[in-house]
Amino acid sequence: MNQTNTKQGDSYHRPVMVEEVLSYFQETAGLLVDATYGGGGHASALLQSNPELRVLGIDRDLDAMSRVPVGHGDPRLHLVTANFGDLEKILAREAPNGDLAGALFDLGVSSHQLDVAGRGFSFHSPGPLDMRMGPDATQSADDIVNRWSPGDIATILRDYGEERFAGRIAEAIVKARPIGDTVELASVIANAVPAPARRRKHPARRSFQAIRIAVNGELAALRRGLDAALDALRPGGRAVVISYHSLEDRIVKRRFASGATECTCPPDMPVCGCGTVAELRLLTRGGQRPSPAEIENNPRARSAVLRAVEKVTI
Ligand SMILES: C[S@@+](CC[C@H](N)C(=O)[O-])C[C@H]1O[C@@H](n2cnc3c(N)ncnc32)[C@H](O)[C@@H]1O
């Protein structure tokens, strides 16, 4: 079933921190890019709550785009299947006057993508070693798991999964080849991890995250997409990003902080020599978290961190 608004149709994806997102765009008029359209939950809530908004919805997943939820036929919603890493090009084509009023990134995968075993994102049910978010991804999980060298696998497990046992897991994966599906991969990983480390969260969680990030080039796309969105924002325009793990959040936090940096000259310099002028104003400090009630209702919200900025008039 399609997600048709924020109150019904939860089966595709229940949007996270909707009230908080709406609050940042209450006064926004003009074009907002929803770079991670997914089930359209945020987009439909934004369109319903603010008649002054038009939404350009982007998702690299054809499945998300083929569902055409609320807003279909709404002249204020325009959908594009693309990778937000190409946002600069997309905006040049879709919003050529460069007058962007808002940008929203709700990162990661949707519940739908996780729940459909055939996409290969989940370690709970057997699925192919795929994990591609969209057809633009140039490799699949199978390429990494069954073909990469142990050294390269260990590197992504460490860099993208912050996995302590990266080396052991990589060796175990290579030894168990060919690995046929996601559950087999999860079990190889679980057996490679020392017993005490298996107790808290699923021992394959970090490795699956790492492989997914590598397959989809997620961090590079985030850096490029965020730069393009912030460049295109008009003065007073706002960007909101919801991240679900520390690697994403670190990129967002640093990009926002660097954009909000004022003159860096020593305080005793009579005149500014560095020329640094803040282009952004931070609207959140330390990142905003979902309420305990939301986390109780929607456990997938528990790792969410929201950061928001406003483009400054220079
Ligand atoms: C957490 S879901 C977004 C859910 C959406 N906000 C809603 O309310 O239904 C993340 C979505 O972003 C998409 N996505 C992730 N990375 C992307 C990228 N680089 N370019 C375009 N879409 C991306 C995924 O395919 C997924 O559908």
Side-chain angles (χ1 to χ4, degrees):
M1 196 178 95
N2 295 344
Q3 162 101 30
T4 51
N5 65 35
T6 53
K7 297 194 183 73
Q8 50 175 292
D10 282 345
S11 65
Y12 192 94
H13 179 85
R14 199 186 300 184
V16 168
M17 303 185 78
V18 176
E19 292 309 320
E20 291 83 346
V21 168
L22 294 182
S23 72
Y24 289 108
F25 296 117
Q26 234 167 19
E27 309 286 319
T28 305
L31 183 70
L32 178 144
V33 63
D34 177 352
T36 51
Y37 184 78
H42 284 117
S44 59
L46 284 161
L47 287 168
Q48 280 168 23
S49 75
N50 182 343
E52 302 297 322
L53 277 179
R54 287 178 291 119
V55 172
L56 171 62
I58 296 173
D59 204 295
R60 69 194 289 190
D61 188 346
L62 287 174
D63 191 32
M65 298 320 253
S66 68
R67 292 187 174 250
V68 193
V70 77
H72 177 50
D74 182 338
R76 293 190 295 137
L77 175 64
H78 178 48
L79 299 179
V80 174
T81 307
N83 183 335
F84 64 59
D86 297 324
L87 197 57
E88 189 180 347
K89 258 192 279 167
I90 300 166
L91 288 175
R93 192 179 63 227
E94 304 288 333
N97 56 6
D99 187 22
L100 192 64
L104 171 65
F105 293 76
D106 177 24
L107 300 170
V109 278
S110 66
S111 304
H112 177 76
Q113 288 166 326
L114 283 173
D115 292 344
V116 174
R119 302 295 300 271
F121 287 112
S122 168
F123 40 76
H124 292 301
S125 33
L129 292 171
D130 191 331
M131 300 198 197
R132 284 170 300 165
M133 281 185 189
D136 63 299
T138 53
Q139 59 191 342
S140 69
D142 186 62
D143 294 318
I144 295 176
V145 169
N146 283 320
R147 275 172 275 285
W148 280 24
S149 72
D152 288 347
I153 296 178
T155 300
I156 60 156
L157 298 186
R158 222 172 279 122
D159 291 354
Y160 300 157
E162 301 182 308
E163 174 56 70
R164 273 197 296 157
F165 306 108
R168 296 167 68 139
I169 294 171
E171 293 295 341
I173 287 175
V174 171
K175 230 173 169 178
R177 281 173 177 167
I179 296 178
D181 67 22
T182 49
V183 164
E184 197 183 332
L185 175 62
S187 136
V188 170
I189 295 169
N191 289 327
V193 167
R198 287 183 217 151
R199 286 195 201 111
R200 275 187 63 239
K201 294 184 173 158
H202 193 291
R205 194 180 58 89
R206 287 174 177 277
S207 299
F208 268 60
Q209 172 188 299
I211 295 169
R212 193 198 85 203
I213 291 175
V215 163
N216 294 291
E218 288 179 39
L219 303 183
L222 174 58
R223 287 192 191 93
R224 288 200 311 270
L226 201 52
D227 276 347
L230 296 174
D231 284 350
L233 277 184
R234 68 185 182 209
R238 290 178 164 190
V240 171
V241 185
I242 306 175
S243 309
Y244 294 88
H245 56 77
S246 55
L247 296 170
E248 289 169 345
D249 185 50
R250 210 171 296 148
I251 290 172
V252 178
K253 182 178 164 178
R254 288 189 181 155
R255 179 60 186 86
F256 283 3
S258 82
T261 302
E262 302 277 4
C263 164
T264 52
C265 295
D268 55 352
M269 282 264 288
V271 198
C272 168
C274 73
T276 312
V277 182
E279 50 152 1
L280 301 174
R281 180 168 74 87
L282 302 179
L283 302 177
T284 46
R285 301 220 171 247
Q288 203 173 347
R289 305 264 173 183
S291 68
E294 176 168 5
I295 294 171
E296 197 177 318
N297 274 321
N298 181 10
R300 280 180 179 163
R302 71 182 171 273
S303 48
V305 179
L306 181 153
R307 294 185 189 271
V309 283
E310 186 173 277
K311 190 86 172 259
V312 175
T313 318
I314 299 176

